[in-house]
């Protein structure tokens, strides 16, 4: 049974609402996903990427400005420039991804040197909500824990 969870095996998971348990998610060949799922990485690797961006080691300042300056609907070339549900005007850049069994989000606040990286092997992780709460903690603002799904509680 490909849905059984095997100890110490890294895989993508999903919640089976009928059985009220987490199971291995369906296998998806990442080579057919184009950009979604097209990268295998770690939080440490993404932090190295963030630091290289911060020190202008990868791109010229002109290219970096294009990557992080909104051109339409809070979107730049590869980065979103505003987080949903935030009323402050933080200068931040973020990118998120989801694919079968996995979710991720990387948020940079370059003026402060902050980088929040979330990597999950459960697709339905509330990455935006968790990131907003981490940012609240960083800035001494009130935070609330994400709400648990009522279906998972029953």
């Amino acid at each position: 049974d490909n849905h059984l969870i095997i100890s110490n095996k890294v895989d993508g998971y999903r919640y089976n609402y009928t059985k009220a348990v987490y199971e291995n998610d369906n296998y998806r060949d990442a080579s057919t996903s184009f950009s979604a799922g097209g990268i295998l990485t770690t939080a440490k690797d993404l932090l190295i990427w963030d630091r290289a961006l911060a020190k202008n080691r990868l791109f010229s300042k002109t290219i970096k400005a294009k990557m992080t300056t909104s051109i339409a609907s809070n979107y730049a070339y590869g980065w979103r420039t505003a987080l949903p549900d935030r009323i402050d005007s933080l200068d931040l850049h973020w990118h998120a991804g989801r694919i079968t069994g996995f979710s991720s989000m990387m948020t940079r606040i370059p003026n402060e040197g902050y980088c929040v990286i979330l990597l999950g092997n459960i697709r339905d992780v509330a990455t935006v909500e968790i990131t907003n709460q981490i940012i609240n903690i960083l800035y001494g603002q009130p935070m609330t824990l994400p709400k648990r799904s009522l279906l998972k509680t029953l």
Side-chain angles (χ1 to χ4, degrees):
D1 182 2
N2 68 336
H3 293 296
L4 293 176
I5 295 176
I6 301 169
S7 295
N8 301 316
K9 178 185 176 201
V10 177
D11 205 346
Y13 298 100
R14 67 173 177 193
Y15 191 77
N16 181 325
Y17 290 93
T18 306
K19 297 178 183 176
V21 297
Y22 282 96
E23 300 175 330
N24 285 328
D25 208 339
N26 295 324
Y27 173 76
R28 182 176 180 136
D29 182 354
S31 68
T32 64
S33 304
F34 186 57
S35 60
I39 185 172
L40 301 176
T41 193
T42 65
K44 182 178 177 181
D45 288 341
L46 290 174
L47 186 60
I48 291 168
W49 168 255
D50 169 72
R51 297 303 173 229
L53 284 173
K55 294 179 181 176
N56 297 312
R57 291 183 181 160
L58 301 172
F59 306 106
S60 68
K61 289 183 180 181
T62 304
I63 296 296
K64 194 168 134 185
K66 286 184 179 183
M67 288 173 56
T68 58
T69 302
S70 183
I71 54 174
S73 300
N74 295 318
Y75 190 76
Y77 291 102
W79 294 95
R80 295 265 176 207
T81 56
L83 271 170
D85 302 325
R86 288 210 74 80
I87 57 172
D88 49 29
S89 58
L90 285 174
D91 178 25
L92 56 77
H93 316 115
W94 65 277
H95 190 88
R98 293 187 195 280
I99 194 165
T100 308
F102 297 93
S103 58
S104 64
M105 184 163 180
M106 178 177 179
T107 305
R108 303 180 69 242
I109 307 174
N111 293 338
E112 303 288 341
Y114 294 143
C115 181
V116 178
I117 299 166
L118 301 176
L119 301 176
N121 59 338
I122 300 172
R123 188 179 189 279
D124 59 349
V125 172
T127 52
V128 171
E129 293 84 355
I130 293 169
T131 297
N132 274 323
Q133 297 310 314
I134 291 171
I135 291 171
N136 285 349
I137 292 168
L138 289 171
Y139 286 93
Q141 299 173 355
M143 59 82 64
T144 56
L145 293 174
K147 295 183 176 32
R148 184 177 172 109
S149 166
L150 180 60
L151 288 175
K152 290 180 186 177
T153 324
L154 298 176

